[in-house]
Amino acid sequence: MVVFPSLGIQLETHRGFAGVSLLASRTFVAWSSLEDFLINEGIRGWDIRYYLVAITRTSQEAIKLEVAFEVSAT
């Protein structure tokens, strides 16, 4: 996560192997669309996972969740 003080935040996800990033995706969230942050927990199988979510509002007034520190696990 990269914070730009007067503009917004950028969420980055890197995919690849340990120590080697093969693909990076970035999502920018403007301060004007940011509603709140939420730290929550989810259950996957027998694991409990904690995650950070940026709650945003789109131009059509719909609520969208942007997950920070996303990890794709199989």
Side-chain angles (χ1 to χ4, degrees), residues 4-15:
F4 298 101
S6 62
L7 301 172
I9 60 171
Q10 179 174 294
L11 305 174
E12 294 184 7
T13 300
H14 295 264
R15 294 187 184 359

Side-chain angles (χ1 to χ4, degrees), residues 4 6 13 20 25 34 36 43 45 48 50 53 57 59-60 62:
F4 298 101
S6 62
T13 300
V20 179
S25 61
L34 186 62
D36 207 354
I43 299 173
I48 297 177
Y50 298 93
V53 173
R57 191 167 297 272
S59 58
Q60 294 84 18

Side-chain angles (χ1 to χ4, degrees), residues 51-67:
Y51 57 94
L52 176 67
V53 173
I55 302 171
T56 61
R57 191 167 297 272
T58 65
S59 58
Q60 294 84 18
E61 296 299 317
I63 293 177
K64 185 176 179 183
L65 303 177
E66 301 285 349
V67 178

